[in-house]
Amino acid sequence: MPARSARGWQSRPSMTEPAPGRLVTPAPLASSSGPPDAARPNAGQCVRLPATQPRRPPLPSPNAVICRDRRSPRLLDRVRIALRTRHYSVRTEKAYVAWIRRFILFNGKRHPDTLAEPEIAAFLSSLADPGQMSASSQNQALAAIRFLYGQVLGRQLAWIGDLVHAKRPERLPVVLTRSECRALLDKLTGSYRIVGGLLYGGGLRLLEALHLRIKDVDLERQEILVRDGKGRKDRRTVLPASLIPPVRDHLSTIRTQHLKDLSRGPSHGAVELPDALRRKYPSAPREWSWQWIFPAMRSYFHAATGETRRHHLHESAVQRAVAIAARAAGIPKPTTPHTLRHSFATHLLEDGYDIRTIQELLGHKDVSTTMIYTHVLNRGGRGVRSPLDR
């Protein structure tokens, strides 16, 4: 109906419904300040939000409108939420999501809720071809499918428990001699030398050593507190006395670097904190006690908090340094950072320490895992003297 104004009768604009199937871009909201809509980039359009976690993909927020990519199905977001609710590790999340995505592609991008026993069995059977993948990968794929149907889709597959798990080969760990360990450590320099010393001198895993913070090392008690180790368990292990002087010098160097980062502004000098500690202690990311013992050379910008942070040293850098040092030392055995942990346990057994003490230092849940190192007590093939030596 026409509306009357001071200038006479005027017609109101038509408010017609859009045609079915037509996409309509909502107009941007009016604002009292800022540039006009025509001057704004992507005005009235959906904009992909930046990732808020450098190590994990962001989960959809209920208060934000996110343009979804057709290649990123909503099901994977549900999988990530279920995994993070149960506090699964980052690597487990990435592995499970990758296997579920592979399962969906194997079945022609059909939703898993529409698949039945034949499709699931066909996918698992395709992984059982000899020479295609290891037994650990097959068991991991099976665990991912069981998690998808049991915890995400709410479908209990009773028959899947009857499937035979791939048998993992029983392999003995590669162990270096004492002279080989010393030669390897002599070829390492800088921070890599200290990391290698912690792996061999304290029996740490590689990521356990790289995740150490200033507050986790007690130089007076010669003790290392391993936080959130494998299985999300804490434990204490020994700090070698020979490492105390280089560790003290290293801490002095990175403290100078941290003070330099703090001088650049209030948003610099921060690190990532576990879980929700940042909300509970807002100033903790910039405190000295929470800094990494082995910080990365470069910093990065964290978009969610606006902070310029430093991550810890990447594990691939240590792996590469150990491989180069092993070749330089002339060690013919396949040597990785984990080989130093194997050597730590083996040499303690040779020195007469009991198996329970070594189990606690290594952080093994079951003593049977530690028993694999007892092979060193049977010198020369289970302690048998060869008839050729008589």
Side-chain angles (χ1 to χ4, degrees):
M1 180 178 180
R4 185 173 183 177
S5 64
R7 296 183 181 181
W9 294 94
Q10 297 179 354
S11 299
R12 293 179 177 176
S14 175
M15 302 292 292
T16 59
E17 294 291 336
R22 181 182 176 186
L23 298 179
V24 178
T25 304
L29 299 177
S31 176
S32 58
S33 60
D37 294 339
R40 297 179 186 172
N42 302 324
Q45 300 179 3
C46 294
V47 181
R48 183 176 297 278
L49 299 180
T52 59
Q53 294 289 341
R55 299 176 60 189
R56 285 185 172 185
L59 293 177
S61 173
N63 300 323
V65 179
I66 300 180
C67 285
R68 296 187 178 274
D69 192 345
R70 293 180 179 179
R71 295 173 297 178
S72 301
R74 189 176 301 176
L75 174 67
L76 297 184
D77 291 336
R78 295 170 57 189
V79 173
R80 294 187 180 99
I81 292 174
L83 288 168
R84 297 181 192 182
T85 302
R86 292 161 178 79
H87 293 276
Y88 279 65
S89 66
V90 179
R91 296 195 173 191
T92 302
E93 176 185 324
K94 291 181 178 179
Y96 277 24
V97 170
W99 280 117
I100 294 173
R101 181 183 287 112
R102 183 170 176 176
F103 172 63
I104 295 173
L105 295 177
F106 178 84
N107 289 281
K109 299 184 179 180
R110 295 167 58 189
H111 196 281
D113 209 11
T114 63
L115 303 177
E117 178 179 345
E119 291 83 2
I120 301 174
F123 173 72
L124 297 176
S125 299
S126 66
L127 304 179
D129 293 338
Q132 296 298 322
M133 61 182 58
S134 64
S136 300
S137 299
Q138 296 179 28
N139 293 332
Q140 188 182 66
L142 177 59
I145 298 301
R146 295 184 64 177
F147 182 87
L148 170 65
Y149 281 93
Q151 306 299 331
V152 180
L153 299 179
R155 290 174 52 185
Q156 299 298 330
L157 305 178
W159 60 271
I160 205 172
D162 298 333
L163 295 178
V164 178
H165 288 253
K167 184 178 180 180
R168 298 179 58 182
E170 298 181 1
R171 303 186 186 278
L172 294 178
V174 177
V175 178
L176 303 180
T177 64
R178 298 175 189 267
S179 59
E180 289 174 336
C181 290
R182 287 192 294 267
L184 175 65
L185 295 177
D186 289 341
K187 296 298 181 179
L188 295 173
T189 59
S191 300
Y192 304 125
R193 172 65 176 81
I194 301 178
V195 174
L198 293 177
L199 300 183
Y200 176 59
L204 275 69
R205 300 177 178 91
L206 177 55
L207 281 181
E208 291 175 347
L210 298 182
H211 287 173
L212 289 176
R213 302 179 189 261
I214 303 300
K215 62 182 182 62
D216 298 331
V217 176
D218 192 337
L219 299 180
E220 294 186 1
R221 299 185 61 182
Q222 298 183 18
E223 186 178 72
I224 298 175
L225 178 57
V226 179
R227 297 280 189 180
D228 199 14
K230 189 174 182 180
R232 306 214 68 178
K233 296 181 298 183
D234 296 351
R235 75 177 191 277
R236 298 181 186 274
T237 186
V238 60
L239 174 64
S242 58
L243 280 183
I244 293 180
V247 167
R248 185 177 284 112
D249 295 340
H250 176 72
L251 294 180
S252 177
T253 301
I254 63 175
R255 183 173 180 82
T256 303
Q257 182 188 62
H258 177 59
L259 294 176
K260 185 178 179 180
D261 290 341
L262 293 177
S263 64
R264 294 177 179 175
S267 62
H268 290 73
V271 294
E272 180 184 0
L273 295 186
D275 300 326
L277 283 180
R278 188 184 183 280
R279 293 197 299 269
K280 188 175 182 179
Y281 307 108
S283 61
R286 304 176 77 242
E287 293 180 358
W288 166 243
S289 60
W290 284 98
Q291 301 301 307
W292 304 111
I293 290 185
F294 303 105
M297 296 298 296
R298 298 179 181 179
S299 57
Y300 69 95
F301 177 74
H302 192 253
T305 59
E307 297 173 339
T308 301
R309 298 178 173 181
R310 282 190 184 273
H311 200 53
H312 59 73
L313 195 64
H314 199 270
E315 59 267 24
S316 63
V318 182
Q319 293 167 350
R320 186 164 49 250
V322 169
I324 295 174
R327 288 195 297 266
I331 299 176
K333 304 173 184 176
T335 306
T336 64
H338 206 71
T339 307
L340 295 173
R341 174 177 160 91
H342 293 323
S343 303
F344 164 81
T346 302
H347 295 165
L348 286 184
L349 278 174
E350 290 179 342
D351 292 339
Y353 290 94
D354 62 279
I355 195 72
R356 297 288 298 181
T357 300
I358 301 175
Q359 176 193 358
E360 294 179 0
L361 294 176
L362 294 176
H364 288 162
K365 182 179 180 180
D366 194 345
V367 70
S368 61
T369 308
T370 317
M371 290 292 293
I372 193 174
Y373 298 108
T374 58
H375 71 281
V376 300
L377 302 180
N378 302 321
R379 296 180 179 272
R382 307 189 64 83
V384 175
R385 184 178 181 183
S386 172
L388 185 61
D389 297 331
R390 294 185 178 273

